Amino acid sequence: MGLILVVEDDATVREVVVSYLRAAGHDVREEAEGRAALRVIGEERPEVVVLDLMLPGLDGREICRRLRAGGNQVPILMLSALGAVEDRLTGLELGADDYLTKPFSARELVLRVEALLRRAQQQRPALPDLIEDGDLRIDRVSRTVTRHGVPVALTQREFDLLHFLAATAGQAHTRDHLLQQVWGWSVGGHSTVTVHVRRVREKIEPVPEEPTRLVTVWGVGYRWEVAP
């Protein structure tokens, strides 16, 4: 199961939410402050964010607004002690996918999170867990890559980019499409993709300056070529 991030400054509420989600078998990361939460979302790409509305400093509204403005479409379940219809509508208008008013049933929260997970997984294209291509072996379950049987050290984003390209071998992808599929952004800097492509080439291409697998499609973007 994917990572779930719980952002809640009330330690008691956070402990209850985290314990119920873990008891249901989920991998959970917890934060009590908005800026730290944004950093975790950018670095660890959680599958769902459980976000308290009334955080100190950078509150849930602003976090939600920044994520959506930056094109990040991670599903968000917003929590709030404010139960007025206007407050719920504000959260949903900012881009939250669901809204739960305190006090709430922890079991209901788990069910709502799992509904968001299912919806996100249904929208994601099915990709193989194991890809063996020439001297490369890419295992999505263990998140490992070997070349000639030797482990290749990749960052999380480098792995995701390599896996997506290898799983869609022969298809040309624009940088915008890669940003959407790998980073989850609908908008963003193309330099992010360019830098990660260069780093992946340095680790899997015999001659990175003359790539034969992760090739450039001029005027379009990039394509993965299956090893002969």
Side-chain angles (χ1 to χ4, degrees):
M1 295 184 182
L3 176 67
I4 297 170
L5 174 63
V6 175
V7 190
E8 168 63 67
D9 65 313
D10 186 312
T12 300
V13 174
R14 189 173 66 249
E15 181 180 357
V16 170
V17 170
V18 169
S19 64
Y20 268 79
L21 287 169
R22 285 179 174 157
H26 298 286
D27 182 15
V28 184
R29 171 77 181 266
E30 56 184 291
E31 292 291 345
E33 191 271 327
R35 297 190 186 279
L38 281 176
R39 184 172 61 252
V40 171
I41 292 168
E43 294 175 355
E44 300 190 28
R45 298 180 62 210
E47 295 288 327
V48 172
V49 176
V50 178
L51 178 64
D52 184 39
L53 181 65
M54 304 299 289
L55 294 168
L58 199 64
D59 67 13
R61 290 188 185 90
E62 181 62 16
I63 292 172
C64 195
R65 187 194 66 76
R66 291 190 186 188
L67 289 173
R68 298 312 189 226
N72 190 316
Q73 298 303 311
V74 59
I76 295 174
L77 170 59
M78 190 167 280
L79 305 179
S80 176
L82 305 175
V85 172
E86 292 78 8
D87 296 308
R88 293 198 297 273
L89 292 177
T90 297
L92 296 172
E93 286 170 353
L94 286 170
D97 298 271
D98 200 355
Y99 192 102
L100 198 55
T101 303
K102 302 176 183 177
F104 52 81
S105 159
R107 180 57 182 155
E108 180 182 2
L109 181 140
V110 172
L111 292 174
R112 287 178 182 246
V113 166
E114 291 177 343
L116 290 176
L117 280 170
R118 286 194 301 272
R119 188 188 311 166
Q121 290 163 358
Q122 288 167 0
Q123 294 171 347
R124 189 177 301 125
L127 300 176
D129 286 332
L130 180 63
I131 301 170
E132 294 183 308
D133 184 355
D135 58 359
L136 278 178
R137 188 177 191 274
I138 306 167
D139 189 330
R140 186 167 59 168
V141 175
S142 63
R143 295 188 69 82
T144 57
V145 176
T146 58
R147 183 166 175 251
H148 295 299
V150 178
V152 178
L154 296 171
T155 66
Q156 177 172 313
R157 292 290 172 84
E158 290 168 358
F159 178 91
D160 290 340
L161 178 63
L162 173 61
H163 179 267
F164 178 77
L165 287 166
T168 57
Q171 300 179 33
H173 299 285
T174 65
R175 290 175 179 83
D176 284 333
H177 189 236
L178 291 172
L179 278 170
Q180 182 181 48
Q181 295 296 320
V182 177
W183 278 263
W185 303 344
S186 59
V187 295
H190 288 177
S191 61
T192 298
V193 178
T194 304
V195 169
H196 280 76
V197 165
R198 175 175 56 78
R199 290 175 179 169
V200 170
R201 282 173 170 166
E202 290 171 351
K203 296 177 180 182
I204 58 94
E205 293 278 5
V207 183
E209 297 77 15
E210 300 177 7
T212 59
R213 308 181 85 168
L214 206 174
V215 301
T216 298
V217 182
W218 297 108
V220 179
Y222 303 100
R223 182 180 66 241
W224 182 265
E225 296 285 357
V226 176

